[in-house]
Amino acid sequence: MAVVAVRRALVIVNPGSRRGASSLDAATRAFARAGVTCTVHATAHPGHAEQLARAHAHGHDAVFTLGGDGTVMEVLHALQGSGQPVGVLPAGTGNLLARALGIPMSVRRAVAALVAGETTRIDLGRLEDGRVFAIAAGVGVDAAMVQETSARAKRRFGVLAYVVTGTRAALRMEAFALRATVDGVAHEFRATAALVANFGTLLGGLIRLGPDVRENDGMLDLCVFSPASVPDALRLGWRLMRHDFRPDRSMHFLRGRTMHLETSPRRATQADGELLPGATLHVTVAPRAACVLVPSVAR
């Protein structure tokens, strides 16, 4: 952890995110109250946040994203390894990284907490096409949740829309054969969901994905869930909420630096809430590649 003085901030806003455009005025006023001069750039298309970060990060003490997790992924990709602090202002649907870092869900309060906060280093997961994620990439229930949640539901209900769709997908128990190669060693499972996790918690700690998953240990954690019945699925959900990882026939955990996941039949894949184009996942860890701002009392 290190304290950083934020006096000049680059703000990259995604106006297409759930609260990006509507939160911009509150964000700029909060920066002004904190004595921070901010330069604002809005994204116009996918990949634009990465381009803006590369072009304009220099000369600023920190780069702030005002959007969802997809915007954060692009900026972290652009700035990985640079040491440039990134502040996450929650204006999307899931806001997974903001919640995991203990950042307030109010944009006004988030600005105040981060400009007076600290920096910390976290690992990133690097996908085969070079993109990165901070929380988790997966196949099965989580990808179905992302795929099936409509834009209208996300705008209207926020993260609750994901919870409802994810619960429905979990209870369908659509199983697939999973071949997971972890650091060169192949493992086979019958699964309904498999997550390559970097952070161990979701929804502000309500759900923990696996035992001892840490975002700064230079490792990734494979969490495989394979309920065979509705009671199995309900038991798994209850145990994840209680952070109970005693041996269970429906939970499997592996740790490594490189992971390759293949499924039969082919399933959709996602990373930090963004659908991916392929049906396989190949992920390597990028140790401590991202520098992020956190509230000084949150960690």
Side-chain angles (χ1 to χ4, degrees), residues 114-179:
L114 294 181
V115 298
E118 302 170 321
T119 62
T120 188
R121 292 273 189 168
I122 63 171
D123 303 333
L124 295 174
R126 184 174 291 130
L127 301 168
E128 197 166 18
D129 64 3
R131 287 187 292 173
V132 299
F133 64 87
I135 301 294
V139 59
V141 169
D142 59 310
M145 174 187 70
V146 173
Q147 190 174 44
E148 296 171 14
T149 304
S150 69
R152 180 181 178 183
K154 288 190 287 186
R155 286 193 300 270
R156 184 173 182 183
F157 300 111
V159 71
L160 181 60
Y162 280 139
V163 173
V164 172
T165 308
T167 300
R168 289 174 180 166
L171 292 177
R172 287 201 305 264
M173 293 184 300
E174 295 176 342
F176 52 87
L178 171 68
R179 182 179 176 85

Side-chain angles (χ1 to χ4, degrees), residues 248-268:
D248 189 297
R249 65 182 182 274
S250 299
M251 295 192 295
H252 314 275
F253 304 103
L254 296 167
R255 182 167 292 166
R257 293 181 173 85
T258 301
M259 299 188 180
H260 184 79
L261 275 58
E262 301 172 274
T263 66
S264 178
R266 292 160 64 92
R267 297 289 186 186

Side-chain angles (χ1 to χ4, degrees), residues 38-49:
C38 63
T39 304
V40 178
H41 288 276
T43 64
H45 53 78
H48 198 194

Side-chain angles (χ1 to χ4, degrees), residues 12-24 41-45 48 52 66-68 71 91:
I12 298 176
V13 56
N14 179 359
S17 61
R18 183 170 179 254
R19 294 187 294 122
S22 63
S23 298
L24 180 57
H41 288 276
T43 64
H45 53 78
H48 198 194
L52 291 171
L66 182 62
T71 307

Side-chain angles (χ1 to χ4, degrees), residues 131 142-144 146-148 268-278:
R131 287 187 292 173
D142 59 310
V146 173
Q147 190 174 44
E148 296 171 14
T269 57
Q270 68 82 31
D272 280 4
E274 298 290 314
L275 285 175
L276 302 175

